[in-house]
Structures are given as structure tokens and as C-alpha cells.
Amino acid sequence: MTASGGAPQRVTRRRVQTRARLLDAAFTVFAAKGFGRVSIEEVCEAAGFSRGAFYSNFATLDELFFALYRERADLIAQQVADALAGDGPDLDVPASVDRVTDVLLLDVDWLLVKTDFLVHAARDPAVADILLDHRTRLRHAIADRLFRARGHTPVPAVLGDADGAAHAVVAAYDGVTVQLLLDKDVDRARMWLKQLLTALLIDGSTHPARTNGSTHPV
């Protein structure tokens, strides 16, 4: 291969590495100080780069923040999908719950960044669309697995259908992570989430639904 043919590949690899280091540094700085209190200079200093390196990858600090959120959110969605991909049509709820809660990213720093993003999204419809898209993909991964198992493992009647159960699962995760932000006890949060999801998806499966329809606030 000629030097001219190899140069673009080296630049691309270097740029990917630079972007990854900026994202890692931004994650640390955002978690420590909070979005809105961080400057581009602080991110660059933490990453060991100049402002030029920053602007070759991101136009604004907002763009970097969104890229960071998408990266972590995509990781969580993929973790859940992979954890639910096992088993045949018969869903072993306790085993599936164990797999999901074992791989879920229950990390206080991530939750701090995620909460900043949620607050930001609450004030900006365009940002809210990004957050809603991630939550929709997460729910779809859960609902799809529950739907495929419906003939063998019925969804508790009180939750309505697979989509209703998926909303409830995400809501339970949200509740556990709020508590984790306050007490910082990751092991307790993981145990509590396992117990809550198992009870949610098994207990009450023979109870009749108490409402004419279901609402999905999550």
C-alpha cells in the first residue's frame, strides 16, 4: 500500500481515538460538575487536547453532550436486548430478570449525567425527542421478548399487554435509579430491582385488570 493510500486510514483512526477520549473526559467532568457548569476548555484539559481537537469533532458542547448520552443509552438498550435474547419461547422470568439486572448499567456517575440530560430535555422539545427515542427502543426490546413468550408466560393481567408491562419495567428501573442517586448503594439497588421486576412480572398474573384501559406514563 502506498503512503498516500494509507494516510486517510491513519487520520480516521486518530480522529476516532480523539473523539473517544473527548467523550470519556466529558463524562467524567459532566458527572463531577453537572452539565451547564462545564466549559469546552475543561473538557479539553481533562482529555489532554486543544480546542482545535474539540472543534474537529464537535461543533458545540451540547453536541458532545448528546453524543455522550446516545453512546451510553445505546449501550444500555443493547445490554437489555442481549440479556433477553436467550431462552426459547418459554420465558423464565426470574432467570431473565437476573440477566437484565446483572448487566444493566447501574452507575451513579451515569445517572448524574442522565438526570442532567432529562432536565435539559424537559425544557427543549428537540432534546426530549432524543430521550424519548431511547426510552422507546428500550421498551420495545422488553415488549418484544414478552410478546414472543405470551403463549407460555402470560403478562400479569393488571399490566394489560406486553407493551404495558414494558412501560412498568422501565418505570421500576427509573424508581430504583432515583433511590440509587440518593444512597449510592449499587448492590442494594440491583437487588431491589431484581425483586421488584420479578414481583411485577409474576405476582398477580391471575388478578383481573381493574381498569378498562391502560395508561403508559413512562
Side-chain angles (χ1 to χ4, degrees):
M1 180 179 294
T2 64
S4 59
Q9 185 178 6
R10 289 196 299 271
V11 170
T12 299
R13 187 185 307 118
R14 183 161 57 248
R15 184 166 182 173
V16 168
Q17 293 171 343
T18 299
R19 180 183 174 88
R21 281 177 58 183
L22 284 167
L23 287 169
D24 286 344
F27 178 78
T28 300
V29 177
F30 285 145
K33 301 188 66 174
F35 182 69
R37 299 183 178 181
V38 174
S39 67
I40 290 175
E41 287 78 10
E42 287 174 298
V43 172
C44 291
E45 182 179 354
F49 291 126
S50 66
R51 288 175 64 94
F54 179 93
Y55 285 117
S56 70
N57 287 275
F58 303 101
T60 65
L61 204 56
D62 274 14
E63 183 181 322
L64 181 149
F65 190 48
F66 299 158
L68 176 62
Y69 178 82
R70 286 193 186 98
E71 180 184 74
R72 301 282 170 146
D74 286 346
L75 170 63
I76 291 175
Q78 190 60 53
Q79 286 176 331
V80 171
D82 290 346
L84 292 174
D87 298 333
D90 186 13
L91 179 65
D92 183 340
V93 172
S96 294
V97 166
D98 281 348
R99 286 198 301 271
V100 169
T101 53
D102 283 344
V103 301
L104 266 177
L105 188 62
L106 288 176
D107 175 75
V108 174
D109 284 347
W110 158 243
L111 295 176
L112 288 168
V113 173
K114 176 187 171 185
T115 301
D116 275 347
F117 197 85
L118 176 61
V119 172
H120 194 33
R123 296 189 174 98
D124 188 329
V127 180
D129 286 342
I130 297 172
L131 183 59
L132 288 170
D133 176 68
H134 162 62
R135 292 173 73 82
T136 298
R137 286 185 289 117
L138 187 60
R139 288 200 311 270
H140 282 174
I142 298 167
D144 178 67
R145 185 63 186 92
L146 293 172
F147 182 79
R148 286 187 286 113
R150 68 193 184 284
H152 302 267
T153 310
V155 170
V158 71
L159 296 178
D161 55 13
D163 189 53
H167 277 82
V169 168
V170 175
Y173 171 70
D174 286 342
V176 169
T177 55
V178 168
Q179 182 66 30
L180 176 57
L181 275 175
L182 299 176
D183 63 23
K184 309 294 192 297
D185 192 335
V186 175
D187 290 337
R188 182 180 178 185
R190 208 174 292 279
M191 179 184 69
W192 185 25
L193 185 60
K194 287 184 180 184
Q195 294 172 341
L196 185 57
L197 293 183
T198 301
L200 182 68
L201 295 175
I202 294 180
D203 292 355
S205 60
T206 59
H207 293 177
R210 292 179 173 82
T211 61
N212 293 327
S214 60
T215 57
H216 304 323
V218 181

